[in-house]
Amino acid sequence: MTKIPHKLYLTEDQMPQKWFNLRSVMKEQPDPMLHPGTLQPVTEADLAPIFCEELAKQELDCTHEYIDIPEPVLDIYKMYRPSPIIRAYDLEKALGTPAKIYYKYEGNNTSGSHKLNSAVPQAYYAKMQGLSGVTTETGAGQWGTALSVACAYFDLSCDVYMVKCSYEQKPFRKAMMNVFGANVTPSPSMLTEVGRKILAENPGTTGSLGCAISEAVEAAVTGGDKRYVLGSVLNQVLLHQSIIGLECKQAMEQLGEYPDIVVGCAGGGSNLGGLIAPFVADKIKGLKNPRIVAVEPASCPSLTRGKYAYDFCDTGKVTPLARMYTLGSGFIPAPNHAGGLRYHGMSPVLSKLYHDGYMEAVSYQQTQVFEAAVFFAKHETILPAPESSHAIKGAIDEALKCKETGEAKTILFGLTGTGYFDMTAYENYLSGKMTDYVPTDADLQKGFDSLPDIPQNKGI
């Protein structure tokens, strides 16, 4: 039997030429986004002032199974893709598990994460529409970095509203975005009406992705020939990120493998949705039955403790309403939370899959996550991003279950990026300064109280 290599790279010619639209194979579609004024399903015309035209079309497309990747996007993808799938031999040995552990590593690009997979097409479509620039938010900074790289390539302006606590914790992420010409503002700020309102109501706030989204959307709709782009949650983003799962499946087929368990970190859903897309499609079609495990932080537990309801995607309540697992648009994670994945809701597609039983979810406290990150780094020589480390923790736990049962299951997880801009968090963990915070039911209720009082939410 041929020994499986430590890592496998597909060739450029083998790289997927089309994105996979998971919604096209779902037995039941996610509930439609609603216009906040009329409570009617949004149309392309409703989305046009916010999103690029082609992205608005992709956002609402639930019929086309595959969508062509434009040639200019493929050309940039080839600068850093295909990304490797790696057999974690040393991690398996250290755990003493009979399980076979694979991970898809998305950190081999300047942005240091998978986010570039969606930043490139979103910037491309903005350029093709003749726009001058885009606006966005960023939490830990990976998405803002990726978008600044893509905008520099297409000669677009890039205005980034960065969650204030992350802006303060990760100054080198700001510097990185500045290298590529992006303007970075800590959010909430005094530059927008919604930012000023949020600060007036809560002067000491450390910010949230919901706050930053509100500011970025306002900046887009009042900024002339600019549009808003988002790095997670949206259907269009999961579409672009499907290249991760498509490459995984193709590479594992070459190795004669198929995962019994697929594990991904879950914040808004970009990485997880992209990683699991072809595998959950097999599950829906009855071809295979892999377990799909979403791993989220205990401090921002939208799947494991949230409510499945219509909610605003932003704190300022200016975006369309989406039915998703949510903690309420007013929920703000504790400022000591260092691991990213801080969005108050979950992708409507992933929420529907979870609600219908195609996916499981588990949450971990951040000291557990960093313990797993350090263990992984010592044995696999990659310093993982805190977000990715949630998936590492989940994969390790699954491998240890195999050790107890003696089952040689095949585990695949997503290593979404590097942790080189997260050294303050690592230093706090290693020095014993890092603390855990798990919101109480009373804490969460404050967010639930902010859910829209609409007929679609009755009985929730």
Side-chain angles (χ1 to χ4, degrees):
M1 182 177 178
T2 303
K3 178 177 169 65
I4 292 175
H6 275 80
K7 57 181 176 292
L8 174 66
Y9 285 90
L10 300 175
T11 66
E12 287 184 10
D13 291 339
Q14 293 172 319
M15 192 172 73
Q17 306 290 299
K18 299 174 184 289
W19 293 304
F20 172 59
N21 184 5
L22 178 56
R23 284 169 294 160
S24 68
V25 300
M26 292 175 66
K27 291 183 177 179
E28 291 186 14
Q29 289 295 308
D31 291 287
M33 286 195 295
L34 302 180
H35 189 288
T38 66
L39 299 184
Q40 295 301 306
V42 297
T43 64
E44 286 184 35
D46 293 328
L47 296 178
I50 302 173
F51 299 126
C52 300
E53 293 170 3
E54 185 61 30
L55 294 169
K57 187 182 300 181
Q58 291 179 3
E59 185 63 29
L60 301 180
D61 187 345
C62 60
T63 56
H64 294 91
E65 188 168 352
Y66 289 95
I67 295 174
D68 289 334
I69 303 175
E71 197 67 35
V73 174
L74 283 171
D75 288 341
I76 305 177
Y77 276 180
K78 289 174 183 176
M79 293 180 180
Y80 67 97
R81 303 204 71 84
S83 65
I85 191 165
I86 302 173
R87 175 74 182 269
Y89 279 114
D90 293 289
L91 180 62
E92 293 170 12
K93 182 179 178 181
L95 295 173
T97 179
K100 293 178 287 184
I101 306 174
Y102 292 88
Y103 57 94
K104 182 68 163 167
Y105 181 45
E106 292 288 312
N108 281 332
N109 65 75
T110 301
S111 75
S113 81
H114 70 293
K115 296 288 188 177
L116 200 56
N117 300 331
S118 189
V120 170
Q122 293 199 55
Y124 166 77
Y125 289 126
K127 186 69 174 181
M128 291 303 98
Q129 193 172 322
L131 302 176
S132 66
V134 295
T135 69
T136 197
E137 78 297 321
T138 195
Q142 289 182 344
W143 168 245
T145 304
L147 187 64
S148 67
V149 171
C151 285
Y153 187 90
F154 287 110
D155 193 26
L156 295 166
S157 68
C158 181
D159 296 317
V160 181
Y161 291 83
M162 187 172 184
V163 175
K164 185 177 292 183
C165 63
S166 290
Y167 181 94
E168 295 168 350
Q169 290 170 354
K170 302 177 182 182
F172 295 127
R173 273 290 182 190
K174 172 185 177 295
M176 184 82 156
M177 289 181 258
N178 291 155
V179 164
F180 288 94
N183 302 306
V184 187
T185 302
S187 174
S189 74
M190 296 297 288
L191 298 182
T192 65
E193 182 178 343
V194 69
R196 292 189 290 271
K197 180 181 178 183
I198 291 170
L199 285 170
E201 293 173 353
N202 190 357
T205 183
T206 54
S208 70
L209 275 174
C211 296
I213 290 171
S214 296
E215 292 205 273
V217 170
E218 180 182 324
V221 298
T222 60
D225 61 342
K226 294 184 179 181
R227 292 295 185 276
Y228 167 70
V229 296
L230 180 64
S232 192
V233 183
L234 296 174
N235 300 330
Q236 59 190 267
V237 177
L238 269 65
L239 174 74
H240 305 150
Q241 295 294 353
S242 67
I243 196 168
I244 301 173
L246 293 171
E247 285 186 5
C248 275
K249 190 176 183 186
Q250 188 173 344
M252 295 193 83
E253 285 174 353
Q254 288 189 20
L255 299 172
E257 294 276 32
Y258 191 94
D260 298 298
I261 307 168
V262 184
V263 184
C265 61
S270 63
N271 150 76
L272 179 64
L275 175 68
I276 71 172
F279 301 108
V280 79
D282 285 348
K283 191 179 181 83
I284 290 170
K285 294 176 181 178
L287 301 175
K288 298 280 187 176
N289 192 29
R291 284 181 55 220
I292 310 294
V293 183
V295 186
E296 62 182 6
S299 59
C300 194
S302 57
L303 285 174
T304 52
R305 297 178 66 193
K307 291 185 181 295
Y308 191 41
Y310 268 104
D311 195 12
F312 289 96
C313 297
D314 69 312
T315 302
K317 301 182 179 181
V318 298
T319 59
L321 296 162
R323 193 178 186 201
M324 57 185 175
Y325 276 90
T326 179
L327 300 172
S329 62
F331 179 81
I332 295 178
N336 75 330
H337 174 61
L341 309 178
R342 61 177 74 243
Y343 186 59
H344 66 271
M346 183 58 60
S347 152
V349 170
L350 297 182
S351 292
K352 179 64 173 173
L353 291 172
Y354 179 65
H355 190 70
D356 290 350
Y358 291 104
M359 190 170 74
E360 306 169 25
V362 64
S363 67
Y364 294 111
Q365 297 182 31
Q366 66 177 351
T367 52
Q368 298 174 296
V369 168
F370 275 84
E371 179 183 22
V374 170
F375 186 82
F376 176 86
K378 289 177 177 177
H379 294 286
E380 291 295 317
T381 75
I382 297 172
L383 185 73
E387 296 86 353
S388 313
S389 302
H390 289 75
I392 292 172
K393 170 62 175 170
I396 286 174
D397 279 6
E398 292 295 339
L400 291 175
K401 291 177 187 175
C402 289
K403 183 178 181 179
E404 295 176 2
T405 64
E407 296 173 284
K409 292 184 178 180
T410 300
I411 301 169
L412 169 67
F413 73 88
L415 181 52
T416 59
T418 61
Y420 301 122
F421 290 95
D422 300 284
M423 296 315 300
T424 300
Y426 272 101
E427 186 177 33
N428 286 339
Y429 169 73
L430 293 170
S431 66
K433 296 178 182 177
M434 179 174 284
T435 58
D436 290 318
Y437 171 74
V438 179
T440 64
D441 290 344
D443 292 333
L444 294 181
Q445 189 58 48
K446 296 174 185 177
F448 297 147
D449 288 343
S450 71
L451 289 174
D453 184 15
I454 59 176
Q456 290 85 345
N457 279 350
K458 295 301 181 186
I460 291 174

